Amino acid sequence: MAVPKRKISKTRGRKRRTHWVAKAPQVGTCTQCNAPILPYRACPECGTYKGRNVISVKGA
Ligand SMILES: [Zn+2]
């Protein structure tokens, strides 16, 4: 197993971590029902994806 040759200093580790930023997930709207949806996922409200019905949703 590969092992780092030298210890990474506190400063270096902290510098690397300054670029790590937690972002809010992208939220779009459904083209069918305008509900907020996550990208590349079928709409949980009406069960459509790219204008096609892909999953059956109860009460829809
Ligand atoms: Zn929808």
Side-chain angles (χ1 to χ4, degrees):
M1 188 182 142
V3 169
K5 196 168 188 178
R6 297 200 70 87
K7 173 188 169 146
I8 290 187
S9 68
K10 286 178 202 169
T11 308
R12 215 170 151 189
R14 286 167 188 171
K15 271 181 177 171
R16 188 188 334 118
R17 278 169 221 130
T18 60
H19 298 286
W20 191 93
V21 181
K23 313 187 209 59
Q26 281 183 39
V27 180
T29 50
C30 178
T31 51
Q32 299 288 312
C33 64
N34 284 317
I37 48 158
L38 292 169
Y40 308 107
R41 276 155 187 81
C43 175
E45 294 298 316
C46 61
T48 57
Y49 181 72
K50 299 253 183 236
R52 290 190 304 122
N53 210 299
V54 288
I55 52 167
S56 57
V57 179
K58 276 176 195 167

